[in-house]
Amino acid sequence: MKKLLLTGGNGFFCSRFTKKYKTSYEIFSTDLPEVDITDEKKIMDVFTEFNPDYVIHGAAIANTDFCNNNPQIAYSVNVTGTLNVARACKRVGAKMIFISTEQVFNGNLEDGPYTEENVPNPDTVYGQNKLEAERLLGEMLDELWILRFTWLFGLPERNCPMVPNILWNTISIVLEGKRTKVTSNEYRGLTYVNELIDQFSKIFNIPYGVYHIGSKNNLSRYDISCLILKELGLENRIGDLLENDVEKYKNHQRDIRLCTDKIAKYGINFSYTRDAIRRCIKEFRFKV
Ligand SMILES: NC(=O)c1ccc[n+]([C@@H]2O[C@H](COP(=O)([O-])OP(=O)(O)OC[C@H]3O[C@@H](n4cnc5c(N)ncnc54)[C@H](OP(=O)(O)O)[C@@H]3O)[C@@H](O)[C@H]2O)c1
């Protein structure tokens, strides 16, 4: 059985990953407080002892506002910590998956969907950290997959944390019962986390390189929120709960969608976001 080490193992993505693959791989899931990726010696010791075949590096500070307000802390985790993980991969000969983000394109002025050939121009600390880490890892490692994820969504699962995501954010609006502004000037790929996880083991068999990952989507953020309420049987609450925010991004639509044609060539395909939302709600039998 191949040995797989996860960093950020308790997070939204990796905790769900472990549920799915715990009998397919020998998984060693690491996270704070025991294994801090900024502790270079600890990382080297843990990697040397476990001697993984593959590493999925999921640890990060992914909160954009926190990173903008605390750039040094963000850099120490998202860049320096990532380099510690990469050095340890090199030492033990492990193949590394680095999880990057669509946010590397958040300052680009042209519209998406962006291909892997487009030059990213991030305008947030988080996006800049991820792009810098991509570049430094590329110089250091040959056996490296860089996966730029779109924004993931899912529903609560046992022993798995939640992070802000379009589906849960919209359900939270219902729970709070407070009319909330949602922009119709933003377009992103929104990907069902379990659709990604179900296909994830195929990544280990594709050539190394940079890949864009996730759903295609032609609907604005506002339209997706309306769709979610409809799918939950709450169409009659749309007017009370959602306010179409036409002011936000009105001068320049925010479009950070990713083109996923490259990964599709290797048989890794994703639904359109609208179908993925329906699938998730159906799988969880989540109706009100
Ligand atoms: N979720 C998305 O939509 C999305 C989209 C694009 C890319 N990504 C990337 O995918 C990866 C996983 O994301 P996620 O949504 O699962 O995020 P998450 O839930 O925030 O998971 C990240 C994990 O890393 C841990 N961590 C933070 N600082 C650490 C440190 N110094 N040492 C070790 N672990 C540390 C966090 O612990 P604490 O919670 O205790 O801080 C958390 O358990 C991240 O690299 C993220 O940038 C996610």
Side-chain angles (χ1 to χ4, degrees):
M1 201 184 262
K2 294 281 187 193
K3 295 169 88 171
L4 184 47
L5 188 148
L6 308 178
T7 67
N10 296 343
F12 177 78
F13 173 76
C14 284
S15 59
R16 287 165 174 79
F17 177 95
T18 300
K19 271 174 74 174
K20 161 90 182 169
Y21 289 107
K22 59 178 185 260
T23 55
S24 317
Y25 299 98
E26 184 182 342
I27 294 181
F28 183 35
S29 177
T30 72
D31 207 309
L32 291 173
E34 292 82 11
V35 183
D36 183 336
I37 60 165
T38 64
D39 182 341
E40 188 175 1
K41 182 177 178 318
K42 178 78 182 181
I43 288 292
M44 203 57 90
D45 289 349
V46 164
F47 275 57
T48 308
E49 191 172 331
F50 184 62
N51 197 21
D53 298 292
Y54 301 107
V55 171
I56 300 179
H57 177 45
I61 300 182
N63 181 313
T64 306
D65 290 339
F66 180 89
C67 291
N68 282 338
N69 294 329
N70 302 275
Q72 286 175 339
I73 299 175
Y75 193 91
S76 73
V77 174
N78 292 339
V79 182
T80 311
T82 297
L83 290 180
N84 291 339
V85 171
R87 269 186 221 105
C89 285
K90 199 169 177 95
R91 169 80 67 87
V92 302
K95 301 166 175 49
M96 179 170 176
I97 291 184
F98 173 54
I99 309 182
S100 187
T101 168
E102 62 180 2
Q103 298 293 328
V104 296
F105 293 107
N106 62 16
N108 285 56
L109 292 179
E110 70 277 25
D111 289 336
Y114 297 101
T115 72
E116 291 81 353
E117 304 303 316
N118 285 112
V119 179
N121 184 22
D123 66 0
T124 60
V125 168
Y126 172 61
Q128 288 159 354
N129 287 170
K130 286 287 188 178
L131 187 62
E132 183 169 348
E134 285 187 9
R135 184 177 59 76
L136 295 170
L137 260 50
E139 290 169 4
M140 191 189 295
L141 297 176
D142 297 323
E143 296 178 310
L144 170 70
W145 296 275
I146 292 173
L147 308 181
R148 292 182 183 147
F149 286 4
T150 55
W151 196 19
L152 306 178
F153 69 83
L155 285 168
E157 298 187 33
R158 189 176 184 187
N159 289 328
C160 298
M162 288 297 280
V163 288
N165 70 77
I166 187 83
L167 180 53
W168 190 240
N169 291 0
T170 307
I171 291 168
S172 301
I173 292 173
V174 179
L175 294 174
E176 286 165 18
K178 207 168 103 194
R179 189 169 158 83
T180 304
K181 285 184 174 180
V182 182
T183 180
S184 50
N185 292 324
E186 184 180 44
Y187 289 84
R188 300 170 75 169
L190 303 159
T191 305
Y192 177 26
V193 61
N194 289 322
E195 184 174 359
L196 168 58
I197 287 171
D198 285 350
Q199 307 187 73
F200 206 85
S201 57
K202 293 183 193 169
I203 306 272
F204 300 127
N205 299 316
I206 69 175
Y208 302 114
V210 179
Y211 294 92
H212 289 177
I213 298 268
S215 282
K216 298 181 174 61
N217 179 27
N218 296 325
L219 299 177
S220 72
R221 188 160 174 167
Y222 174 77
D223 289 336
I224 290 288
S225 292
C226 291
L227 174 92
I228 290 168
L229 291 189
K230 276 185 205 152
E231 291 300 317
L232 292 173
L234 293 171
E235 189 167 4
N236 60 341
R237 303 286 315 279
I238 291 174
D240 303 342
L241 293 172
L242 300 181
E243 181 179 339
N244 183 355
D245 184 353
V246 291
E247 288 299 309
K248 196 170 181 186
Y249 308 126
K250 78 170 176 197
N251 293 330
H252 183 73
Q253 236 180 29
R254 185 172 198 243
D255 181 352
I256 48 171
R257 288 174 294 180
L258 300 180
C259 171
T260 55
D261 291 354
K262 182 177 174 189
I263 196 123
K265 286 192 198 125
Y266 298 100
I268 300 175
N269 293 290
F270 294 90
S271 329
Y272 276 85
T273 292
R274 58 170 185 269
D275 299 324
I277 292 274
R278 288 183 182 123
R279 176 178 162 195
C280 178
I281 289 172
K282 195 168 167 208
E283 284 184 358
F284 279 78
R285 294 167 170 75
F286 199 91
K287 285 267 183 196
V288 287

